Amino acid sequence: MITWNKACNTNALLQYIKENTADGANLRAFKLYRKGLAVTAVFPPHKEEDAMHLYSLSKSFTSLSVGIARDMGLLDVNEKMMDIFPECIPEEISETLAAMTLGNVLSMQSGHEVCHLDKMRFSENAVKTFLAMPVVYQPGTKFIYSTGGTCVCGAAVEKRSGMKLNDFMEKYLFSKLDIPKPRVLTLADGTHAGGIGIFLPIDHLFRMGMLMKNKGVYNGVRVVSEEWCDMAVQPIADNSCNGTPDWVAGYGYQFWRCEPDGVYRGDGAYGQYCIVMPQEDVVLATNSGTHDMQAILTALWRDLLPGIGAATEENP
């Protein structure tokens, strides 16, 4: 099903669809917004209301939850992790662990050498396990992608708010976006899997992008501060040794910078994207099942982005 209007040049959009439905790219659904207009496409057998696993795109929702908690005065990115979780720190505290802040963990610069999610997943205390792992690098100096770290950031919201993260999100984020409380995954100790565990349909995912595009406002209601929306998408971490072009452009607070200047995204395995292009007034959400995630973005910059600028009433 395609709901069509003049959001984009027809040929550009069809080329983008062709590129991302061929050769196993498996584009399942997308929603594109441009300057007040929108186009939605869902490809059989998938349905628009299907709740998809966001994988690591869940991280961007956790970032927004941290931002809301910060706006409420519950958390600060400069707080030391050992001050947030004093009951979880090991007996021997290294200088690097003592220096680790919430902002370091949010920007994938905790100082750990690897992601420790596998050890955390079935631990009796996931946060304690995370903090017990060797902090090899000075926090804030080296980008190491860590889903476990994101789960700990979500746990910080739980700790300070006294609410399960999904309940906090439902009250202060999802309900503001007119999103019913979604299915989520948890770790063995009950900690919300904030780095990987949310399921949402394409339209609900898209609303997060609209919230970010509008600097924390949705349908005229302030959900999270403009300051947080700006902070979260800055290139805080240098990830220049991390891989292909759209994975080396910088990393913020659980948002990736993209190769085109000013563009940023939430990003999940197999092509779950929520991309914001502020200069073009564009938001694009995608649900895919591909192993070549760069190909989706490359087709976007090559085929769709020029066509977005070419849309007119005469050439929709």
Side-chain angles (χ1 to χ4, degrees), residues 76-299:
D76 189 280
V77 292
N78 295 315
E79 282 189 88
K80 300 292 194 295
M81 296 303 291
M82 59 185 295
D83 292 334
I84 300 173
F85 298 107
E87 74 284 1
C88 294
I89 59 176
E91 291 185 8
E92 295 186 13
I93 303 172
S94 65
E95 291 184 6
T96 47
L97 174 58
M100 187 195 300
T101 67
L102 178 61
N104 296 151
V105 183
L106 275 169
S107 60
M108 302 295 185
Q109 300 179 102
S110 67
H112 290 109
E113 192 170 22
V114 296
C115 174
H116 293 292
L117 180 64
D118 286 346
K119 294 183 176 67
M120 297 166 61
R121 193 186 298 270
F122 301 107
S123 169
E124 293 182 357
N125 188 320
V127 173
K128 190 172 183 178
T129 298
F130 177 84
L131 295 176
M133 294 297 106
V135 183
V136 176
Y137 307 106
Q138 185 66 26
T141 65
K142 190 171 180 65
F143 177 88
I144 299 292
Y145 192 74
S146 174
T147 295
T150 310
C151 295
V152 172
C153 293
V157 176
E158 294 187 338
K159 175 73 181 297
R160 290 292 176 80
S161 69
M163 302 171 66
K164 289 293 185 182
L165 183 59
N166 200 32
D167 294 333
F168 183 91
M169 286 183 171
E170 195 280 328
K171 182 173 182 178
Y172 296 109
L173 178 58
F174 292 132
S175 65
K176 309 298 183 184
L177 303 180
D178 298 321
I179 296 174
K181 191 174 184 179
R183 174 191 171 194
V184 300
L185 303 178
T186 61
L187 306 183
D189 68 349
T191 299
H192 186 295
I196 198 171
I198 299 176
F199 293 74
L200 287 175
I202 191 71
D203 182 58
H204 294 174
L205 167 59
F206 172 81
R207 295 176 196 181
M208 187 266 283
M210 293 299 292
L211 175 70
M212 292 298 295
K213 182 192 78 71
N214 293 324
K215 302 288 189 178
V217 173
Y218 187 80
N219 281 346
V221 176
R222 170 68 61 189
V223 179
V224 63
S225 66
E226 180 174 348
E227 182 183 21
W228 184 260
C229 293
D230 287 337
M231 288 172 57
V233 301
Q234 296 304 309
I236 297 167
D238 177 1
N239 61 353
S240 57
C241 296
N242 192 55
T244 52
D246 286 293
W247 278 265
V248 297
Y251 192 83
Y253 290 151
Q254 310 288 301
F255 286 90
W256 295 86
R257 300 288 294 192
C258 296
E259 186 177 23
D261 185 47
V263 179
Y264 61 88
R265 72 186 188 276
D267 179 318
Y270 309 115
Q272 321 319 315
Y273 288 127
C274 189
I275 304 164
V276 181
M277 309 176 207
Q279 296 177 14
E280 290 80 14
D281 192 23
V282 165
V283 173
L284 174 67
T286 69
N287 169 223
S288 302
T290 181
H291 291 284
D292 189 352
M293 293 176 62
Q294 180 63 62
I296 294 178
L297 296 176
T298 298

